[in-house]
Amino acid sequence: QVQLVESGGGLVQAGGSLRLSCAASGRTFSSYAMGWFRQAPGKEREFVAAISWSGRSTLYADSVKGRFTISRDNAKNTVYLQMNSPKPEDTAVYYCAREKAGGGSTQRREYDYWGQGTQVTVSS
């Protein structure tokens, strides 16, 4: 069983920065791509970013491209989301997820394990 635990959420001012972390249990972390999704109140959960098993390939939603950076440390079984210059519209619960394969995907159906989420609130 894989467990994913997010941390680092909180209140941040627009234009500031915040780093989310997601710690994974299990010995096969480095074999899988990882992703970040978010869900705002009343909205569908949406893709934010993904990173391949090696870390060499990344994907971003257009809405966060150039502001957010996904990275991973396979030695620590952890994936990160660096949020720079966040905007009020980035306010949401952020979830990390493990993909079923290693390449990275924007599609929710390609992810089989999810964390419990961490709240990010961006004030204007």
Side-chain angles (χ1 to χ4, degrees):
Q1 185 72 11
V2 174
Q3 287 189 317
L4 303 174
V5 180
E6 302 96 337
S7 61
L11 177 64
V12 61
Q13 282 194 326
S17 64
L18 197 66
R19 190 176 80 158
L20 306 183
S21 300
C22 172
S25 65
R27 293 179 290 178
T28 59
F29 174 80
S30 60
S31 299
Y32 296 91
M34 299 293 295
W36 285 97
F37 289 74
R38 67 187 181 187
Q39 188 167 17
K43 295 190 176 181
E44 295 280 322
R45 191 172 299 188
E46 64 176 4
F47 169 77
V48 175
I51 188 166
S52 63
W53 67 273
S54 65
R56 287 194 286 267
S57 177
T58 56
L59 295 169
Y60 295 95
D62 288 344
S63 59
V64 307
K65 203 171 292 183
R67 299 187 297 119
F68 292 7
T69 301
I70 188 171
S71 62
R72 66 189 297 160
D73 185 337
N74 286 342
K76 295 183 178 179
N77 278 18
T78 302
V79 62
Y80 305 97
L81 185 69
Q82 179 67 42
M83 304 172 62
N84 293 334
S85 301
K87 304 174 183 179
E89 51 263 44
D90 294 320
T91 295
V93 177
Y94 282 72
Y95 299 88
C96 74
R98 193 192 78 168
E99 197 198 347
K100 299 173 187 175
S105 172
T106 64
Q107 303 300 308
R108 283 179 57 184
R109 63 178 178 271
E110 298 300 325
Y111 293 82
D112 54 1
Y113 289 98
W114 295 80
Q116 83 288 349
T118 186
Q119 175 71 46
V120 172
T121 302
V122 184
S123 64
S124 57

